Amino acid sequence: MASMKAVRIHHFGDEGALNYEDVSVPEPGRNQILVKVLAAGVNPVDWKMRKGGYPSVDEADLPITLGRDVCGRVAAVGSDVENCSEGERIIAFIGEGRGAYEEYALVEANEFAHMPRFATTNEAAALPLAGITAWQGLFDHGNLQAGQRVLIQGGSGGVGHIAIQLAKAKGAWVATTVSGSDIELAEMLGADQAINYHEESIEEALEPVDMVLDLIGGETQEQSFAVVKSGGILVSTVQEPSEALANLNGVRVAWFKAEPNGRQLADIVKLVEDEKVKIVLNRIFPLSEAAEAQRVLEHEHSRGKIVLELL
Ligand SMILES: NC(=O)c1ccc[n+]([C@@H]2O[C@H](COP(=O)([O-])OP(=O)(O)OC[C@H]3O[C@@H](n4cnc5c(N)ncnc54)[C@H](OP(=O)(O)O)[C@@H]3O)[C@@H](O)[C@H]2O)c1
């Protein structure tokens, strides 16, 4: 059986728990495609999983290959998969139980979309998980409509920078919180108001909004209640918002886990091709340096996405 390189964990821990090792190339099932990975996006879920802080992966599931975002060339196609041929380039947010930090990855038929024309493979690999999370948060859970006002807490990160642009493409008015050095970036992405969260309070800086997309949690989430209109909604990717604060402020709340969705991904790809969504890359690392990539994502200032490149 052919072998390949993969980045796996055999136990939970710090970056040292990541092993760059040889494993067998998997066989695609009837409803799967095998993808020669060209680039893999790095997301906070990857280091949370590595540390044992992701509820649906526990010690008994190990070893696992990390990574949920892939851009690659189709190497083999399962018999039940339609709209996909060997040699095509695709992107996917990969479901739980499979990985992307590896030379060949398995993708389900309902997870992929064709790679956006005009994007590089590194940009394309940065899009799926962040794009789908932003889409599901804004539209499926927040039901954001054209003309509404939305605040995106954490607008310079992987999810936030895409969320700003999806909300603008929908016709919403968009405010976002970022570090001072990212104000220009947020405005370039289309934000109508960019607030430096280190220096300004949203309560003082911002008129009430219909929706908050919370990508930060903690105190930032709590403070968000003060700026949501009565009857508005606070949607979080990070933690369940307080029911008590929701009732007190007359605000609806939602907390969700993003799910792979190839159709939504194809809609996001179209927005990239129409130049409504730009993908901002922070740093690129080789697959063998996945540990350093995760360290940077977890501990350093984040601006856009980090990607592992497989040459
Ligand atoms: N539920 C789900 O399915 C789901 C899906 C995707 C992501 N998530 C979670 O959502 C969160 C964001 O993900 P991501 O990929 O965007 O992470 P990321 O790329 O690491 O970005 C986080 C951003 O937050 C900013 N930030 C930190 N503290 C802030 C504050 N108090 N106010 C405003 N911005 C602040 C950082 O900017 P500075 O460096 O300038 O501080 C950084 O740009 C993570 O916790 C992730 O695990 C959940």
Side-chain angles (χ1 to χ4, degrees):
M1 195 178 271
S3 78
M4 64 173 181
K5 290 290 184 199
V7 176
R8 302 206 298 170
I9 51 168
H10 294 255
H11 57 86
F12 297 129
D14 64 14
E15 298 90 36
L18 292 172
N19 280 337
Y20 182 63
E21 59 192 28
D22 292 312
V23 298
S24 299
V25 175
E27 290 278 331
R30 291 163 62 119
N31 212 30
Q32 292 182 324
I33 56 182
L34 181 70
V35 173
K36 167 80 182 76
V37 179
L38 301 170
V42 181
N43 291 287
V45 63
D46 304 347
W47 59 255
K48 290 179 184 180
M49 226 180 246
R50 187 202 73 225
K51 286 174 136 180
Y54 190 72
S56 50
V57 178
D58 58 31
E59 206 84 43
D61 300 314
L62 306 183
I64 55 164
T65 301
L66 290 175
R68 307 287 300 276
D69 260 344
V70 71
C71 172
R73 200 172 49 242
V74 176
V77 183
S79 54
D80 292 351
V81 182
E82 292 170 0
N83 296 325
C84 185
S85 313
E86 270 180 47
E88 287 179 339
R89 289 184 176 208
I90 61 102
I91 60 174
F93 166 22
I94 295 178
E96 287 176 10
R98 283 163 289 130
Y101 292 8
E102 55 190 358
E103 289 179 296
Y104 287 88
L106 291 175
V107 172
E108 298 278 341
N110 60 3
E111 291 173 345
F112 77 90
H114 290 96
M115 178 181 158
R117 283 173 296 144
F118 321 126
T120 65
T121 52
N122 289 336
E123 288 167 344
L127 183 65
L129 188 153
I132 286 174
T133 304
W135 182 285
Q136 292 178 357
L138 292 169
F139 307 135
D140 293 351
H141 299 278
N143 193 25
L144 183 70
Q145 301 295 321
Q148 287 190 322
R149 294 166 57 83
V150 60
L151 167 66
I152 294 160
Q153 291 275 29
S156 64
V159 179
H161 88 282
I162 304 284
I164 293 171
Q165 300 176 83
L166 293 182
K168 285 304 293 178
K170 180 77 180 180
W173 183 93
V174 180
T176 189
T177 51
V178 291
S179 287
S181 55
D182 290 327
I183 296 271
E184 237 173 74
L185 171 73
E187 289 172 350
M188 186 273 284
L189 296 172
D192 297 288
Q193 185 176 357
I195 300 165
N196 176 350
Y197 75 87
H198 297 282
E199 290 182 357
E200 293 177 83
S201 100
I202 49 168
E203 207 173 339
E204 284 170 18
L206 187 64
E207 295 293 320
V209 295
D210 300 284
M211 177 187 172
V212 171
L213 180 62
D214 163 42
L215 305 170
I216 307 300
E219 275 180 23
T220 301
Q221 184 189 86
E222 279 184 20
Q223 289 158 4
S224 300
F225 281 101
V227 299
V228 187
K229 293 176 188 169
S230 173
I233 186 162
L234 190 163
V235 177
S236 182
T237 60
V238 185
Q239 67 185 80
E240 190 170 8
S242 151
E243 278 296 334
L245 285 176
N247 292 336
L248 193 67
N249 291 281
V251 166
R252 290 167 296 132
V253 290
W255 174 44
F256 75 102
K257 182 154 89 169
E259 297 294 342
N261 185 319
R263 277 182 297 108
Q264 288 177 343
L265 189 55
D267 288 340
I268 299 167
V269 164
K270 172 98 179 32
L271 290 171
V272 173
E273 291 180 339
D274 291 345
E275 298 182 25
K276 301 261 174 53
V277 171
K278 294 184 194 65
I279 303 154
V280 176
L281 294 182
N282 179 356
R283 290 179 62 183
I284 314 296
F285 294 86
L287 180 65
S288 56
E289 291 178 23
E292 176 61 5
Q294 288 199 354
R295 190 198 62 74
V296 170
L297 178 62
E298 184 179 356
H299 298 293
E300 293 189 2
H301 168 69
S302 272
R303 180 190 167 97
K305 295 283 309 179
I306 292 177
V307 169
L308 302 174
E309 183 176 54
L310 287 82
L311 296 171

